[in-house]
Amino acid sequence: MIYGRGMKEVSLGRAALILAMTENREREEEVKKWLGLMGYPKAVATEVSGTLSEFKQKVVKNAVTAALNTGVIDNEPEKIHSVVHAALEALCGIELLSMANPSLKVKLSIVADDKWLAVGMFGMSAAYPSTNHERAGLGIMHL
């Protein structure tokens, strides 16, 4: 059992990271269809960018808005709470402790089944334009 459900070919966390790593909208749509076949019909991706201080303010708002607008979650306090916590957990993998206020450009994905939700983040960070680094983060929370 993984996260309280039977084994699937792709774990929920892996599904969220795969979606977050898509390079363009066409590939994103292909992956969402594939995830539906894998047992994850609820999935969305959005982008978040800015300096770290701006980024932190946008992450939760963008995640909750995307999840609600696409029906990944219902507008219920406990479901919104799950998105918030998973997004903050994923942010831990993106945040840089060594840089004061780097620029970030990240694709954020949310994938859910009937009991669990995962937020994946994948993108670039840089303190200076020629110092880009890839970053990834993952957060999982029960609904």
Side-chain angles (χ1 to χ4, degrees):
M1 299 287 278
I2 297 177
Y3 308 119
R5 58 178 159 63
M7 293 290 287
K8 293 186 178 182
E9 288 184 44
V10 176
S11 70
L12 184 65
R14 188 177 303 260
L17 286 173
I18 290 169
L19 183 57
M21 293 176 74
T22 55
E23 305 87 4
N24 55 51
R25 293 285 182 205
E26 293 78 24
R27 184 71 176 131
E28 184 181 303
E29 291 305 316
E30 291 172 9
V31 168
K32 284 196 251 181
K33 287 178 187 172
W34 175 73
L35 289 175
L37 296 173
M38 294 293 109
Y40 303 110
K42 296 179 180 182
V44 64
T46 188
E47 292 185 3
V48 185
S49 62
T51 61
L52 183 58
S53 57
E54 298 166 339
F55 186 85
K56 288 167 108 174
Q57 293 174 9
K58 293 178 182 179
V59 162
V60 170
K61 182 178 79 84
N62 287 21
V64 170
T65 300
L68 288 171
N69 287 347
T70 59
V72 170
I73 62 165
D74 296 323
N75 192 357
E76 300 171 14
E78 61 275 5
K79 304 247 168 99
I80 293 169
H81 183 84
S82 295
V83 172
V84 169
H85 274 276
L88 292 174
E89 185 178 334
L91 180 61
C92 292
I94 299 295
E95 261 187 291
L96 299 168
L97 299 176
S98 61
M99 286 194 240
N101 202 23
S103 295
L104 297 151
K105 184 176 181 184
V106 171
K107 183 176 273 191
L108 180 150
S109 68
I110 305 168
V111 179
D113 63 16
D114 57 336
K115 296 181 182 178
W116 293 88
L117 174 137
V119 173
M121 293 185 198
F122 182 82
M124 301 296 283
S125 68
Y128 183 78
S130 64
T131 63
N132 289 345
H133 292 278
E134 290 179 320
R135 297 269 175 222
L138 176 65
I140 299 175
M141 189 70 180
H142 58 85
L143 286 170

